[in-house]
Amino acid sequence: MPEIKDLVRENIQALAPYSTARDDYDGPVGIQLDANENPFENGYNRYPDPHQKELKKLIARIKGVTPESVFIGNGSDEAIDLVYRVFCEPGRDNAVAITPTYSMYRVAAAVNDVEFREVPLSEHFGFNASGLLEAADDRTKLAFLCSPNNPTGNLLDPDEVERFVRAFEGITVLDEAYIDFAPESSFLPRLAEFPRLVILQTLSKAWGLAGLRLGLAFASPEIVGYLSNVKYPYNINCVTQEIVARHLTKGPEEAVRRLVKERSRLLELLPTLPVVREVYPTDANFVLVQVDDPGEVYRRLVEGGVIVRDRSSLPGCAGCLRITVGTPAENERLIQLLGQI
Ligand SMILES: *Cc1c(COP(=O)(O)O)cnc(C)c1O
């Protein structure tokens, strides 16, 4: 199996990263005349910590990993872009992924001029390691898996995920954006077993902090080091760092409990509606629902003031709408409108 270094682009291996004014000295400082900041205090006049030291310590403690294995991004989307920039030579290397899945993997591949190979999930959106391994060749640097998967909602079979990660010679990115809804299925406690694995999580879903933009990547200190060298120095602003630190004292468990309860109600009610053909099993905070005429159902819901996501053009998702679990009142309105179709 290749070393991490051998997977990293040569220009990134050789990169002398930008060093900030505070990198040279981080002892107690009285007078800061090193960074051309405005000295008049208003709460925001100083640059934020580019290494997010305090936040990484907090997150590491909550997640049971070392701070050195935590990368903090401006949303998971930053980490997705960075893995391409670190590992994929534009116009030459490629990435493989399951389909249907989160579309940012494909968009970020296109932005970075990286060929993107999609391998359909099997029936019932099941994941089979062999198909994805067959799509890879000696120019395949990245593989994207998402579990629970967006937009299908299901967890991928953990044995197949493990089989893939062990056999694939590149970097596997396992996106666990929805793992707070199925915490016992996370691969994070086993991170150290898999040197070429990057696990993505986010505060945008169960934690309820989408507006602050904070995504997490967990990987070996070596991989985290490369991601950190390539990121913008001040990628997480001081307001986000402060507010997130405060919110981390209360976990997502209460929101998860309420949403899972609402999800059960939707899973009971949706199949009883004439317009609904199929409701797919879900381990996330959304439900994939198949109807006869998704365009018409979408329009009728919008007329009633409810917006859902039309996913019917994705492979294997004919007729499918993706519906986020809302508040009890919001879900009530959804069911009422669907009942009128
Ligand atoms: C919502 C979502 C994310 C989160 O992205 P952020 O940039 O952290 O808000 C990541 N991956 C998947 C699959 C998602 O659905």
Side-chain angles (χ1 to χ4, degrees):
M1 284 293 168
E3 304 277 304
I4 297 302
K5 188 167 76 64
D6 302 328
L7 295 167
V8 172
R9 291 166 65 195
E10 277 175 23
N11 62 312
I12 302 299
Q13 288 180 37
L15 181 73
Y18 180 76
S19 79
T20 70
R22 310 271 140 86
D23 284 341
D24 303 331
Y25 178 79
D26 73 347
V29 219
I31 299 177
Q32 302 181 344
L33 303 180
D34 59 333
N36 299 346
E37 295 151 336
N38 180 325
F40 305 116
E41 283 298 334
N42 62 9
Y44 310 108
N45 57 313
R46 298 293 172 190
Y47 279 106
D49 174 11
H51 309 296
Q52 302 115 17
K53 283 208 196 76
E54 291 308 311
L55 204 47
K56 282 189 178 179
K57 268 193 247 167
L58 281 173
I59 290 167
R61 199 180 313 144
I62 290 169
K63 297 288 181 177
V65 296
T66 63
E68 292 73 31
S69 46
V70 181
F71 174 84
I72 305 181
N74 192 323
S76 317
D77 293 346
E78 181 181 11
I80 292 168
D81 181 55
L82 282 173
V83 287
Y84 281 106
R85 292 164 69 193
V86 167
F87 294 105
C88 294
E89 200 59 53
R92 209 183 72 176
D93 291 333
N94 67 73
V96 296
I98 55 172
T99 189
T101 193
Y102 187 45
S103 54
M104 266 314 286
Y105 317 139
R106 181 175 42 74
V107 172
V111 168
N112 288 284
D113 192 18
V114 171
E115 184 199 341
F116 190 68
R117 303 177 177 177
E118 299 177 289
V119 177
L121 293 169
S122 58
E123 235 184 310
H124 310 298
F125 304 124
F127 171 58
N128 177 288
S130 309
L132 202 57
L133 286 168
E134 277 162 29
D137 59 22
D138 58 359
R139 287 255 170 268
T140 307
K141 295 292 182 61
L142 296 176
F144 287 90
L145 300 176
C146 184
S147 181
N149 188 32
N150 178 5
T152 61
N154 59 308
L155 282 160
L156 305 186
D157 178 348
D159 295 334
E160 285 297 299
V161 172
E162 178 167 354
R163 202 158 77 76
F164 181 84
V165 176
R166 289 194 189 284
F168 178 52
E169 299 193 3
I171 302 290
T172 302
V173 180
L174 175 62
D175 190 341
E176 295 189 339
Y178 299 96
I179 204 65
D180 296 302
F181 298 97
E184 64 292 342
S185 297
S186 178
F187 270 73
L188 192 54
R190 301 178 57 196
L191 183 64
E193 287 178 51
F194 308 104
R196 295 179 310 286
L197 179 63
V198 175
I199 296 176
L200 302 182
Q201 295 189 3
T202 181
L203 301 189
S204 297
K205 307 290 157 62
W207 286 86
L209 300 174
L212 291 176
R213 308 305 303 131
L214 196 134
L216 300 167
F218 302 95
S220 68
E222 188 179 3
I223 294 178
V224 167
Y226 284 115
L227 297 174
S228 304
N229 286 351
V230 175
K231 77 175 179 73
Y232 292 151
Y234 303 110
N235 61 329
I236 309 296
N237 70 65
C238 61
V239 178
T240 295
Q241 291 195 44
E242 275 172 35
I243 300 182
V244 164
R246 265 192 270 138
H247 272 81
L248 285 176
T249 55
K250 183 169 168 282
E253 294 78 12
E254 172 65 11
V256 168
R257 194 187 58 73
R258 291 165 71 182
L259 290 171
V260 166
K261 189 166 156 229
E262 274 305 294
R263 185 180 74 187
S264 309
R265 211 165 64 88
L266 285 178
L267 290 178
E268 249 170 57
L269 291 173
L270 285 167
T272 67
L273 304 173
V275 71
V276 170
R277 261 224 215 155
E278 182 152 8
V279 179
Y280 291 92
T282 174
D283 302 290
N285 65 333
F286 58 84
V287 193
L288 193 70
V289 177
Q290 190 185 47
V291 297
D292 281 322
D293 186 347
E296 172 64 11
V297 173
Y298 180 87
R299 269 190 303 278
R300 295 281 295 270
L301 287 174
V302 167
E303 274 171 27
V306 174
I307 185 149
V308 298
R309 195 85 202 268
D310 186 345
R311 300 277 74 185
S312 58
S313 63
L314 298 185
C317 295
C320 285
L321 300 172
R322 191 195 67 194
I323 304 177
T324 306
V325 179
T327 65
E330 289 169 345
N331 302 330
E332 199 56 52
R333 176 72 175 146
L334 169 85
I335 293 292
Q336 183 194 29
L337 286 169
L338 286 175
Q340 291 164 4
I341 302 174

